[in-house]
Each structure stands twice: as structure tokens, then as C-alpha cells.
């Protein structure tokens, strides 16, 4: 790895201190993201992906709190920065795109106003220049008639257009890191493809690294260079995209990939394989490996101890005592 | 928008017609207003008959209503005869009461808004803090305290026990100017103002506590709802500072439902507060309404009911228009 390291998350913990107990939404995550690289973070809903991304920007709402770890961004720990310093980083060096373009934009301000706001905060420009830059950004993200769209309100736009506007807002200050939290989940498939295309395109143009968070494996395969699979606030498998898809070694990743429906299973009339059980209650986490109640390969050791994230081959880390062998043919990609 | 306004304005006509007819019918059921004149030894039975005829009281209800309506729209006869204030017509009686009621209600309404909106925001931003609980206690106290009881208690405390404020009335009969007793209307304007303010302090306090309680709670819950919206998070992720997040992004959305409430309390500006005015013997519209109903002053009661109906309908209408002004999602066509 000769590429320059941009973001390194070390043992990050974000806990929610609720009346019913502590919820460990992010429980010791380690991630590395290099400049101009795309890191996919995959996992089921409710496994702490969004909280992890909000933790990076330090935007986790009460009662969520950082409970340890470091977030080294460009050599400095974000968790040690003052609120004022963080504010300067948000939107300019690290930008974020959210899941619901309908609710993520303020309904009472125009698109232009909202995109321009980011530019006015972080760049030393006057209103007129900011407006010009905003129109350029809207044009860049493929919004037709950007000058007219500037003064439109979010509700006057389609979902796809709104998400484009969100991207324009995020990209307007050329961030080094873009966090995309399920950015295409709320869109229909054709629009989703367009938005992904746009993100890839901009990533190359602006040379931004992307932390791409999704529950959709197909999107990760499409976008990411490296994939981290998370389960209940912990990374269970981490490797480059190709390896994860061709040779998944953690039973959870293996199960996820097997449960993707394909035309072949339909022809052979086999039932779609699924991972047994449900994700555990965050208030009542199982002892040992969090995945053992659902794991077909679980042993007594798994029920007692939490395995460490170990490198089982160069560049391929797995958190499992019994990594799956012989995974040939699991992925149809 | 213009067409909408015209259509709405036209819709008001049948509504008002129905309200006035039903009220007219109900008020007529109160009894024969002219019958009470019999106790006056200077009024002969023939005079009563003559008055009945002049005011069409010997005609059927519908005819009587038509005459009344005609007189209301073209008030040549000043909306009829006041039984309570013989020799004066209704319009004169009402007009003379408006200034004091306006001063009284407008002051309390403005004070209530100015106090409740910031306190509501403060309460929401410091949810579950000691000050939030304190404000909540105050709000429920204000809302649940019957104004007549609270008014009497204040009177007892501040007028009877310690003589800080007068117990009743809108102003003193005489003022002492340069050692001389001068009639109120003869005193300098500034002295009149101070004296009135001193008299109105307690009743205004009663009304402000009552209105502030309700509006504070509405503002608080509205702000709380908005505070956790996605677009507030988006704004923070852009690097917007906390002040701007609250006052630009959250407030503009949170105030929308409050505007309706304020629009709906608009009739109270002229209608006054019947109970508070009566308790504190302030000769405003509210007390007039009470007296008119209690003494079968049919024409005064009818005129007041109609004025209130018009104001309520207008208040709704204005709230609707304000709604469209602050919320771009609402467009009338």
C-alpha cells in the first residue's frame, strides 16, 4: 500500500446510554481509508453503520457518545478537536450524503440557498461568486437548467434530482472525504445507477475518497475498492472487494452472499438460502462471538469468546475462529 | 393565488349568513327585549308597541332577520337600539368599548408571543433540564388555572393584602395633578397612560400567563420535532454553526404551526377576554358581551356575535395566507 493514508479509525466506540442500558452501536471499529479510494462498509440495518459514519463527523445525537478510540484524519485525531475546529472540517474536508433526499433537505429554503450555504461558510467568496459556483455545481451533478433550479424548493424536485442537489452540496467545497450513507437506497433502480455513476465520476474528477455505506452488496461490488463487513458494531471481515466476493471467509459474509437471489436458483427451484434467526437485541447481546446464535459452524469456543480480527492471508482480515473453507461458487458476480 | 383568495372570500358569505341566522334565532329565544322596558315608569305600553313596530319585532322571525341583516350591512340605524344604554344605538356603544379592549388584548397578546416563543425554544433546546421542567410547570399552571380564579387570587393578593395595584376598573376617576384633583379625561396624556397601565397590569398578567402557557408548550413540541429532522443534521454536517442551525434551519420550520395558532387567536384582539374583563370590571367588549347576554339586550348581543363570527372566519383566512407565506410547500391555486 503506497497510497497516502487519509483516514484511520482505531478502535472507535460509540455507545448509546439509554434508560434500558448501554447500546454499543459501534464497538471497536478499525478502518483505514486511503486518498482517492472507495471503502465499502456493508451490514444489515441496525448494525451501526450510520452511527459509525456520524461518529466520524461527531454528529451523533444524545444519548449517543464516543466511548473511546481515535479517528485520525490527515494525521490528526478528530476526537480531540474543538467543536469550532470540527465545524470547519464538516462540509469542507469531510462531507456527507444522507439516505433520504426528501427529508435531508430543508423544505423551506431553496436548493440554491442550501448548496450556497456550504460555499459561503467554507470559502472566502461573496454572495455573487457563491451563487455562480452553486450554479456550476448544480450543472456538474447533472441538474438540467441549473439557473432555474437554483430557486426551486426541494418539494418541487424529484428524488433523483434532490439527491443530485445533495451531492452538489457535499462536493461544493471539494472534500477529501465523502461519506455516503445509503445515498441511493431511497431511489429507484435506474436513478440509483445514475447517481452511482455520478459519484464515481466526481470521485475521479475531484479526487475524493469515499466511505460508501450500504446494506446492498451489489452496490459495494460496483463501487468499492475495499470492503468492510460489519455485524453488530464490529467489523467481521475486511479485504479488497474482489476477495470478499470471491472468497468470503466469515460465515456472516458467506451467508449474505449466498442469500442473494439469482436466476439460477430460481431455475433449479431451490429455496433461497437465508441466514437463520434475527439480529440480537442490542440490549441483550450474546456472549462470545455476536454471530454464534445464527452461525452454522459455531462451536463451544464461539459461545465463550469473542474472536479477534485476524489476518488469515495478506490483506484479508476475518473475525472468526473457524473461517469458512471452500467458498467456491458462492458469488454469482 | 389571487383566484384562491377570491374564492375563499366568496366562501365566507354563506358561512357568515348561516352563523348570523342561527345566532339570530337563538338570541330571539332569549325573550322579548322590549318587555323589560315596562319597568320604566316613563315608558307607556303604547310606546313599547311603537318600538316593537319600528324594529319589526311584530313580524315573523325570517322577516325580522332580513331587516336586521339589511341594517347590519347598511347601518343607518346603527345596528339597532341598545336596551341597556337607552337612547344610544348599538354601533355607538360598541365603538366606545373598542379602544380599551384593543389596548388590553393587544398588549397581552404581543407580550404572550414575545415571551412564549423564545421560552418554548429554550425549553426545547434544554429538554429535560431543570429549567425545562420549571417552564413546563409554569406552562401547565398557566393553562390549567381558570382565569376567573387566578384573577381573583391576584386581586386578593396585590390589591387587598398589599395595595400595589387597583382591584378593578380600567382607570381612576380622578388623578392628582400638581396637588389638584383632576378628572381623568382632563389629565395630561402621559398621566392617563400610566394610570391605565397601572390598572391593566393585573388583568394583562392573567391573560399573558394563560396564553403563554399554551403557546410555550406548542413552541416547545414543535421545536423538539424539528430539532431531530434530517435536514437539521444535514445543516450541521455542512459545518453550519449551532446558532444558524437553530435560528435558520430549525426555527423557520418550527414556527409554521405556531402561526396558525396566533392567527386563530386574532379575534380575541377585538373580542377581548370576557371573563377577565368582567372580573376586573374593565368596560371593554368582553364585559359588554356578558352584560348584553345577561340583560337580554338583543341588538347588542346580535351585533357582537356577528362581529366575533366575522373575526374568527377572518382569522382563519389570515392564518391560511400566512401559512403559504412561510411554507413554500403550500401553494394555493
Amino acid at each position: 500500500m503506497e497510497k497516502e493514508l487519509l483516514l484511520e479509525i482505531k478502535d472507535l466506540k460509540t455507545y448509546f446510554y439509554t434508560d434500558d442500558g448501554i447500546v454499543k452501536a459501534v464497538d471497536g471499529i478499525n478502518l483505514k481509508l486511503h486518498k482517492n479510494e472507495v471503502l465499502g462498509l456493508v451490514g444489515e440495518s441496525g448494525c451501526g453503520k450510520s452511527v459509525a459514519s456520524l461518529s466520524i463527523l461527531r454528529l451523533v445525537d444524545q444519548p449517543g457518545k464516543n466511548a473511546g478510540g481515535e479517528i485520525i484524519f490527515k494525521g490528526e485525531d478528530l476526537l480531540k478537536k474543538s467543536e469550532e475546529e470540527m465545524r470547519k472540517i464538516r462540509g469542507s474536508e469531510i462531507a456527507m450524503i444522507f439516505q433520504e433526499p426528501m427529508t435531508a433537505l430543508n423544505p423551506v429554503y431553496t436548493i440554491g440557498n442550501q448548496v450556497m450555504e456550504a460555499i459561503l461558510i467554507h470559502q472566502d467568496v461573496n454572495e455573487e461568486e457563491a451563487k455562480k459556483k452553486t450554479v456550476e455545481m448544480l450543472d456538474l451533478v447533472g441538474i438540467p437548467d441549473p439557473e432555474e433550479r437554483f430557486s426551486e424548493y426541494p418539494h418541487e424536485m424529484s428524488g433523483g434530482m434532490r439527491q443530485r442537489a445533495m451531492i452538489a452540496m457535499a462536493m461544493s467545497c471539494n472534500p477529501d472525504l465523502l461519506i455516503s450513507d445509503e445515498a441511493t437506497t431511497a431511489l429507484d433502480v435506474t436513478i440509483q445507477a445514475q447517481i452511482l455513476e455520478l459519484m464515481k465520476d466526481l470521485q475521479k474528477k475531484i479526487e475524493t475518497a469515499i466511505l460508501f455505506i450500504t446494506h446492498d452488496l451489489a452496490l459495494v461490488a460496483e463501487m468499492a475498492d475495499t470492503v468492510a463487513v460489519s455485524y453488530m458494531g464490529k467489523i467481521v471481515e475486511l479485504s479488497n472487494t474482489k476477495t470478499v466476493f470471491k472468497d468470503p471467509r466469515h460465515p456472516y459474509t458467506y451467508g449474505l452472499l449466498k442469500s442473494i437471489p439469482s436466476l439460477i436458483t430460481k431455475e433449479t427451484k431451490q429455496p433461497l438460502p437465508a441466514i437463520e434467526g434475527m439480529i440480537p437485541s442490542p440490549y441483550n447481546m450474546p456472549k462470545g462471538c455476536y454471530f454464534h446464535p445464527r452461525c452454522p459452524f459455531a462451536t463451544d469456543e464461539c459461545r465463550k469468546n469473542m474472536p479477534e480480527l485476524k489476518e488469515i492471508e495478506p490483506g484479508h482480515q476475518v473475525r472468526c475462529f473457524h473461517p469458512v473453507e471452500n467458498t467456491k461458487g458462492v458469488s454469482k458476480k | 393565488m389571487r383566484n384562491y383568495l377570491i374564492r375563499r372570500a366568496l366562501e365566507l358569505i354563506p358561512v357568515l349568513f348561516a352563523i348570523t341566522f342561527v345566532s339570530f334565532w337563538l338570541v330571539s329565544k332569549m325573550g322579548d327585549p322590549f318587555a323589560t322596558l315596562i319597568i320604566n315608569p316613563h315608558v307607556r305600553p303604547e310606546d313599547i308597541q311603537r318600538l316593537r313596530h319600528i324594529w319589526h319585532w311584530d313580524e315573523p322571525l325570517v322577516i325580522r332577520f332580513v331587516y336586521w341583516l339589511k341594517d347590519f350591512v347598511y347601518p343607518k340605524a346603527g345596528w339597532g337600539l341598545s336596551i341597556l344604554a337607552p337612547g344610544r344605538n348599538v354601533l355607538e356603544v360598541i365603538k366606545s368599548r373598542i379602544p380599551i379592549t384593543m389596548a388590553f388584548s393587544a398588549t397581552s397578546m404581543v407580550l404572550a408571543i414575545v415571551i412564549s416563543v423564545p421560552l418554548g425554544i429554550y425549553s426545547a433546546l434544554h429538554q429535560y433540564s431543570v429549567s425545562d421542567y420549571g417552564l413546563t410547570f409554569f406552562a401547565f399552571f398557566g393553562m390549567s388555572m381558570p382565569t376567573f380564579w387566578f384573577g381573583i387570587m391576584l386581586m386578593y393578593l396585590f390589591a387587598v393584602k398589599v395595595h400595589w395595584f387597583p382591584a378593578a376598573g380600567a382607570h381612576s376617576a380622578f388623578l392628582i395633578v400638581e396637588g389638584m384633583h383632576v378628572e381623568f379625561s382632563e389629565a395630561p396624556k402621559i398621566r392617563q397612560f400610566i394610570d391605565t397601565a397601572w390598572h391593566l397590569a393585573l388583568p394583562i398578567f392573567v391573560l399573558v400567563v394563560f396564553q403563554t402557557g399554551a403557546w410555550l408548550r406548542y413552541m416547545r413540541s414543535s421545536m423538539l420535532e424539528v430539532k431531530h429532522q434530517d435536514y437539521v443534521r444535514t445543516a450541521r454536517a455542512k459545518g453550519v454553526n449551532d446558532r444558524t442551525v437553530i435560528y435558520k434551519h430549525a426555527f423557520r420550520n418550527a414556527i409554521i404551526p405556531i402561526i396558525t395558532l396566533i392567527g386563530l387567536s386574532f379575534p380575541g384582539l377585538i373580542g377581548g377576554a370576557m371573563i377577565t374583563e368582567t372580573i376586573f370590571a374593565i368596560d371593554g367588549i368582553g364585559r359588554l358581551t356578558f352584560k348584553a347576554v345577561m340583560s337580554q339586550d338583543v341588538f347588542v348581543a346580535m351585533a357582537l356575535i356577528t362581529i366575533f363570527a366575522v373575526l374568527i372566519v377572518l382569522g382563519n383566512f389570515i392564518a391560511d395566507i400566512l401559512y403559504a407565506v412561510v411554507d413554500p410547500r403550500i401553494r394555493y391555486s
Side-chain angles (χ1 to χ4, degrees):
Chain A
M1 290 276 181
E2 306 82 34
K3 279 191 194 164
E4 203 182 324
L5 193 63
L6 178 71
L7 175 78
E8 183 174 11
I9 299 175
K10 287 184 191 165
D11 199 30
L12 179 69
K13 289 178 179 150
T14 305
Y15 293 173
F16 285 77
Y17 299 88
T18 68
D19 293 341
D20 303 320
I22 297 174
V23 177
K24 299 176 176 179
V26 176
D27 193 13
I29 275 188
N30 290 287
L31 284 175
K32 277 181 187 167
L33 181 54
H34 300 90
K35 267 200 169 161
N36 206 8
E37 190 189 68
V38 181
L39 170 67
L41 180 58
V42 204
E44 291 173 77
S45 324
C47 78
K49 296 165 301 183
S50 293
V51 177
S53 62
L54 288 171
S55 301
I56 298 173
L57 281 173
R58 294 207 351 224
L59 284 178
V60 180
D61 273 328
Q62 290 287 344
K65 258 208 209 114
N66 173 262
E70 286 171 64
I71 302 169
I72 313 290
F73 178 71
K74 292 203 217 164
E76 286 175 63
D77 189 356
L78 294 183
L79 294 175
K80 293 205 173 76
K81 292 210 176 280
S82 72
E83 187 50 32
E84 188 57 42
E85 286 171 313
M86 253 339 269
R87 204 174 290 147
K88 287 194 179 120
I89 291 173
R90 288 181 200 135
S92 68
E93 290 174 58
I94 307 177
M96 190 156 175
I97 312 171
F98 297 97
Q99 180 169 352
E100 282 284 342
M102 185 70 232
T103 55
L105 288 164
N106 196 327
V108 300
Y109 293 103
T110 60
I111 295 291
N113 183 319
Q114 295 184 58
V115 176
M116 199 161 81
E117 194 178 22
I119 298 172
L120 282 170
I121 291 170
H122 298 295
Q123 296 177 16
D124 188 21
V125 290
N126 62 32
E127 197 132 327
E128 209 171 302
E129 289 163 330
K131 186 171 178 183
K132 218 181 114 211
K133 170 98 200 206
T134 304
V135 174
E136 275 170 28
M137 281 313 296
L138 294 179
D139 190 41
L140 187 68
V141 296
I143 293 177
D145 309 318
E147 264 160 73
E148 281 161 43
R149 291 300 178 115
F150 182 93
S151 44
E152 271 184 20
Y153 288 94
H155 70 277
E156 295 171 297
M157 289 183 154
S158 67
M161 282 300 149
R162 278 195 292 258
Q163 200 57 298
R164 281 172 198 267
M166 277 296 291
I167 294 173
M169 192 193 295
M171 291 299 207
S172 61
C173 299
N174 305 337
D176 298 299
L177 170 62
L178 176 70
I179 303 171
S180 151
D181 183 7
E182 301 266 12
T184 58
T185 308
L187 305 172
D188 65 50
V189 189
T190 45
I191 308 295
Q192 184 171 316
Q194 289 171 13
I195 296 288
L196 287 179
E197 205 53 50
L198 172 69
M199 279 170 66
K200 269 201 265 185
D201 196 38
L202 285 176
Q203 191 239 341
K204 283 194 194 97
K205 264 190 215 157
I206 301 179
E207 299 198 333
T208 302
I210 300 181
L211 176 57
F212 191 83
I213 296 167
T214 182
H215 67 279
D216 190 337
L217 287 162
L219 297 187
V220 182
E222 196 84 12
M223 291 289 291
D225 303 312
T226 313
V227 176
V229 181
S230 84
Y231 186 75
M232 299 318 293
K234 283 189 185 293
I235 304 287
V236 295
E237 184 154 9
L238 177 73
S239 186
N240 67 58
T241 309
K242 207 174 150 197
T243 312
V244 170
F245 279 89
K246 289 280 178 239
D247 189 21
R249 305 296 295 274
H250 194 280
Y252 177 60
T253 322
Y254 182 74
L256 280 182
L257 286 167
K258 268 211 332 201
S259 64
I260 296 174
S262 84
L263 294 171
I264 299 163
T265 33
K266 203 177 172 189
E267 266 170 26
T268 52
K269 297 235 161 65
Q270 279 169 346
L272 184 65
I275 301 177
E276 293 289 319
M278 302 272 285
I279 55 169
S281 156
Y283 297 108
N284 188 19
M285 295 294 274
K287 263 180 97 175
C289 174
Y290 292 161
F291 189 61
H292 85 253
R294 305 172 71 185
C295 181
F297 313 110
T299 61
D300 278 345
E301 193 184 12
C302 307
R303 291 183 194 99
K304 276 192 203 114
N305 302 313
M306 167 63 79
E308 294 299 312
L309 193 60
K310 277 194 308 249
E311 195 157 52
I312 54 162
E313 58 194 31
H316 191 175
Q317 299 178 340
V318 178
R319 186 189 291 279
C320 187
F321 294 123
H322 318 288
V324 186
E325 306 289 341
N326 188 20
T327 55
K328 297 276 174 292
V330 57
S331 173
K332 294 111 202 166
K333 277 265 164 194
Chain B
M1 183 74 181
R2 219 194 60 176
N3 286 342
Y4 170 81
L5 291 181
I6 294 170
R7 204 183 66 215
R8 270 301 295 270
L10 288 176
E11 273 170 17
L12 299 185
I13 296 170
V15 171
L16 288 174
F17 186 83
I19 294 173
T20 45
F21 183 76
V22 172
S23 328
F24 194 83
W25 173 68
L26 284 173
V27 167
S28 302
K29 291 281 160 207
M30 292 199 314
D32 179 2
F34 300 98
T36 54
L37 290 172
I38 205 94
I39 53 171
N40 189 334
H42 300 292
V43 181
R44 292 166 301 167
E46 304 94 273
D47 296 335
I48 295 176
Q49 276 312 320
R50 198 163 45 82
L51 279 170
R52 273 215 181 89
H53 183 71
I54 292 173
W55 295 103
H56 311 288
W57 216 255
D58 46 3
E59 311 260 9
L61 180 76
V62 178
I63 310 288
R64 221 191 301 156
F65 176 68
V66 172
Y67 277 116
W68 175 84
L69 198 64
K70 197 187 113 230
D71 177 47
F72 198 84
V73 181
Y74 301 103
K76 262 189 224 141
W79 293 350
L81 175 86
S82 170
I83 308 288
L84 233 132
R88 296 175 70 194
N89 68 43
V90 175
L91 197 55
E92 274 174 55
V93 174
I94 291 177
K95 265 188 187 161
S96 68
R97 305 293 184 104
I98 286 179
I100 188 71
T101 288
M102 283 284 274
F104 170 58
S105 332
T107 311
S108 50
M109 191 169 163
V110 169
L111 278 177
I113 294 172
V114 168
I115 295 170
S116 62
V117 169
L119 284 186
I121 295 174
Y122 182 88
S123 207
L125 296 183
H126 299 83
Q127 194 186 8
Y128 304 139
S129 68
V130 176
S131 42
D132 178 37
Y133 282 124
L135 286 170
T136 301
F137 176 80
F138 163 78
F140 281 117
F141 175 86
M143 277 189 288
S144 42
M145 193 62 56
T147 46
F148 65 86
W149 191 80
F150 190 45
I152 291 169
M153 284 301 114
L154 287 180
M155 243 188 249
Y156 177 72
L157 274 179
F158 293 105
V160 179
K161 285 277 157 189
V162 291
H163 303 279
W164 291 357
F165 294 100
H171 57 74
S172 313
F174 293 96
L175 290 177
I176 299 168
V177 183
E178 290 161 2
M180 306 259 286
H181 275 72
V182 180
E183 242 184 82
F184 180 80
S185 53
E186 312 274 299
K189 277 273 178 292
I190 179 78
R191 290 293 306 275
Q192 288 188 9
F193 176 79
I194 293 170
D195 186 65
T196 309
W198 182 54
H199 274 81
L200 292 184
L202 287 185
I204 285 177
F205 186 72
V206 171
L207 271 198
V208 168
V209 167
F210 180 69
Q211 287 179 323
T212 303
W215 289 348
L216 191 158
R217 289 298 294 176
Y218 280 117
M219 191 64 221
R220 179 182 181 273
S221 62
S222 182
M223 196 68 188
L224 275 182
E225 200 185 307
V226 166
K227 206 175 83 174
H228 296 292
Q229 290 292 320
D230 287 354
Y231 52 77
V232 170
R233 195 178 54 191
T234 307
R236 287 170 70 205
K238 251 193 291 191
V240 178
N241 68 46
D242 289 351
R243 260 192 94 77
T244 315
V245 167
I246 298 299
Y247 291 101
K248 182 182 168 186
H249 290 274
F251 180 71
R252 209 23 229 282
N253 284 283
I255 199 71
I256 292 170
I258 310 301
I259 283 176
T260 321
L261 276 180
I262 291 173
L264 292 180
S265 54
F266 170 76
L269 267 184
I270 295 159
M274 199 184 295
I275 294 168
T276 315
E277 280 186 9
T278 308
I279 298 276
F280 284 94
I282 295 165
D283 263 330
I285 301 284
R287 192 171 181 220
L288 178 67
T289 313
F290 179 71
K291 280 207 260 180
V293 172
M294 294 313 279
S295 53
Q296 297 186 13
D297 200 341
V298 171
F299 290 105
V300 173
M302 232 1 254
L304 287 168
I305 290 170
T306 310
I307 291 172
F308 295 152
V310 170
L311 287 174
I312 288 166
V313 171
L314 264 181
N316 267 307
F317 189 41
I318 290 170
D320 272 359
I321 294 169
L322 282 178
Y323 220 56
V325 172
V326 285
D327 191 344
R329 281 166 297 184
I330 293 169
R331 284 282 170 267
Y332 300 119
S333 50

